[in-house]
Every structure is written in C-alpha cells, then in structure tokens.
Amino acid sequence: MKEWWVQVGLLSVPLLAVYLHIPPPKLSPALLSWRSSGGYFTYKDQNIFYRDSTGAVGSSDIVVLLHGFPTSSYDWCKIWEGLTQRFHRVIALDFVGFGFSDKPRPHRYSIFEQASIVEGLVRHLGLHHQRINLLSHDYGDTVAQELLHRDFSWGKSPRGSHTLTRLLPCRSELFFFFFFKGSGQSSGPTRSLHQQSTGTCGRQFLFSILQYINQRKKHRDRWVGALMSTSVPLHLIYGPLDPVNPHPEFLQLYKKVLPMSTVSVLDDHISHYPQLEDPTGFLNAYLNFINSF
C-alpha cells in the first residue's frame, strides 16, 4: 500500500487542474460596490487598485491596511466604517497579483516589490510626511516587516514612534514555515488570484505568487530582526482557534520573541480571519491599542 501522502498527492493534482479551469465567479453587488468606490494608481506600468476614505473630522490620523494571502482589500469590509469613525483617512490596496490589481505574467512577485508599491501609494496620495498607522494581516505582515526594515518614512507620533498592529501574523514570519491554510472566504477578489490562472500558465502564475513562502525563509533574519529591533509600538490581535498559528504554542513564542508587543486575545471560537469573524471584537481591540497613545 502506498504511503497516504502519495495517495493524497496523486488525488490533488487532477483536482487542482480542474479547479484552475473553473471560470471566475461573477462579482457580487457588494464587490462591485467595493470596486466602484475605489480607484487605481500606476506603479511601473501596473494598475494597482486602492480605496481611500475620508472619515473622522478633527483627526489627522491615517491607517493603511495590508491584506493577506490569497485575498484582497475586501478583507477589511466589515470594519471599514468603524475605522472611518476614528481615522481621518482609511486606505487599503490590493497587492499586485491580487484582487482588482493587475496580475502580470510572467512576473517575479516579491515582498520587496509589494513594499515598494505601498510606498508608492503613500507618495501618490501625498501622505509620505504624515503619521501612518499600519494594520496588517498574514501576507501583509511580511510586507509591513519589510517596511519596518527600510525605516519607512511615515510620520512620527507624539511619542516619537510609529504604530503598527500585526493582525494574526502567519507564524512562518517568525520561525515556522507552514503552507497557507484557507479560511473559506472565497468570493470575488479572494478567488481572483486564481481566476485568470488556467493551464500551464496558471500553474506558473501560482508558483510565482507562492514564492513569498521561500522569501520568508530566506530573509527570516531581516524581517524578524526588524520586529525585534524596532521602536514602533506593536500589537497582536489573536484568534485562539487559528489553525495556522495554533494556541497556545504560537502565543507563547510570540510573547517570548517580542516581549515589548502588547496582545489582544479574542474569544475561543475566533480563527485566522478575526476582522471577518468578529469585526466588533477586533475593532474594539484595535482602537483600544490606538487610543492608548
């Protein structure tokens, strides 16, 4: 009898081939509205989708949201309105290769490029001298870490530092290297990573996108080191049921490696996408952190 993992692999190959040939789903009214309320800027001939909402009067604070893999800026839809009640500007983008942004092929997708795109968007909006709060999730955490390493020229807070919230960092960003496990949030831009990917070209596209996993391993010292050495206030919002970052091992490791970071632990049933699973609990945790400065 063949090893079970060989049997699983043999079964997975045809299933993946079938999936890659499934036509993309039609966009829901909610996604059409999300797209129509955003815009595009150009980064090296690539059209990058972003949303920029003006919110709270009397506040000068800005928050930039960085989504995870394999999703898009739509991950933030359930907390968007709540953020606009606290921040003057709420900004999110779809990384190149994701959501409504361009998906060039062939292309060498990299965390470094995604970080440069964030910098480009901030310059495009004329905010490179303003205070920036950064809220990141999963893949976006690694982009945030690269920005920290570069000492990204966001504005200073009254304490003389930046504020960064790391929302459910994939544990591969610290010491482990797990493959992505999905959350079931598969609509519109979530599937758009795959929806133009068919046949051999599609498999090459997926392979190119997934190189971020190897990049995390290769540049571990650079990106974990950025977290360990930064003076930026850090905060983790954690769902104990997260299969990617299992409880309690991940939380114990996180606190050991980053003792200066504060942590919010949500209800026991919250998993890897707390901003979607528990938007109220997540938003309260985030705003409590922001308002502590």
Side-chain angles (χ1 to χ4, degrees):
M1 181 177 179
K2 295 181 179 179
E3 296 288 346
W4 67 268
W5 54 269
V6 174
Q7 297 181 42
V8 171
L10 292 174
L11 179 63
S12 299
V13 170
L15 289 177
L16 178 61
V18 171
Y19 176 75
L20 291 175
H21 285 82
I22 296 175
K26 292 183 178 180
L27 297 181
S28 68
L31 286 170
L32 290 171
S33 176
W34 186 265
R35 184 174 63 182
S36 65
S37 63
Y40 291 84
F41 85 104
T42 302
Y43 175 84
K44 294 185 177 179
D45 298 326
Q46 300 164 1
N47 293 315
I48 305 299
F49 175 83
Y50 72 95
R51 286 195 71 190
D52 176 13
S53 295
T54 301
V57 176
S59 172
S60 60
D61 288 350
I62 301 163
V63 62
V64 175
L65 314 176
L66 307 180
H67 69 80
F69 175 91
T71 53
S72 72
S73 59
Y74 191 66
D75 278 357
W76 308 107
C77 64
K78 290 188 177 181
I79 63 168
W80 194 268
E81 183 177 354
L83 291 173
T84 62
Q85 295 175 13
R86 169 59 178 80
F87 292 93
H88 176 59
R89 299 276 287 276
V90 180
I91 300 163
L93 78 160
D94 291 349
F95 292 125
V96 64
F98 297 80
F100 296 123
S101 291
D102 282 353
K103 302 167 185 65
R105 291 176 289 179
H107 188 75
R108 293 178 61 87
Y109 291 91
S110 74
I111 294 298
F112 300 102
E113 178 186 39
Q114 307 288 19
S116 295
I117 289 173
V118 175
E119 291 179 317
L121 176 59
V122 170
R123 288 192 298 269
H124 172 76
L125 297 176
L127 302 175
H128 48 292
H129 295 305
Q130 303 296 315
R131 171 180 175 174
I132 299 291
N133 299 282
L134 202 57
L135 176 58
S136 62
H137 177 222
D138 190 84
Y139 181 94
D141 292 339
T142 314
V143 178
Q145 288 169 254
E146 171 58 21
L147 291 170
L148 280 180
H149 179 82
R150 298 181 186 186
D151 192 21
F152 180 43
S153 58
W154 33 28
K156 299 292 183 179
S157 72
R159 290 184 53 186
S161 61
H162 315 298
T163 57
L164 170 68
T165 297
R166 305 187 68 237
L167 167 60
L168 266 295
C170 261
R171 73 184 201 167
S172 54
E173 263 126 41
L174 295 173
F175 298 99
F176 303 91
F177 306 101
F178 273 158
F179 186 71
F180 166 83
K181 180 169 183 177
S183 68
Q185 303 294 331
S186 56
S187 62
T190 298
R191 275 209 56 210
S192 67
L193 171 65
H194 309 289
Q195 66 184 18
Q196 297 183 31
S197 305
T198 57
T200 302
C201 186
R203 288 189 289 274
Q204 292 172 345
F205 175 65
L206 288 173
F207 178 79
S208 182
I209 286 283
L210 287 169
Q211 286 305 301
Y212 81 91
I213 298 174
N214 292 330
Q215 291 166 24
R216 282 174 169 171
K217 184 175 182 179
K218 180 179 180 180
H219 302 290
R220 172 194 174 280
D221 291 343
R222 175 188 181 99
W223 290 331
V224 177
L227 289 176
M228 296 176 69
S229 62
T230 186
S231 60
V232 173
L234 303 175
H235 188 71
L236 168 70
I237 301 176
Y238 180 65
L241 199 59
D242 183 6
V244 182
N245 310 288
H247 186 271
E249 294 85 359
F250 170 77
L251 199 57
Q252 292 169 349
L253 177 60
Y254 182 88
K255 290 179 177 180
K256 179 180 179 180
V257 176
L258 300 173
M260 70 291 194
S261 174
T262 53
V263 176
S264 295
V265 180
L266 302 180
D267 291 343
D268 289 346
H269 66 282
I270 303 304
S271 182
H272 190 66
Y273 277 74
Q275 76 276 40
L276 294 172
E277 300 169 48
D278 183 14
T280 300
F282 166 74
L283 189 62
N284 287 339
Y286 180 57
L287 294 183
N288 285 339
F289 166 67
I290 291 295
N291 292 335
S292 66
F293 299 100

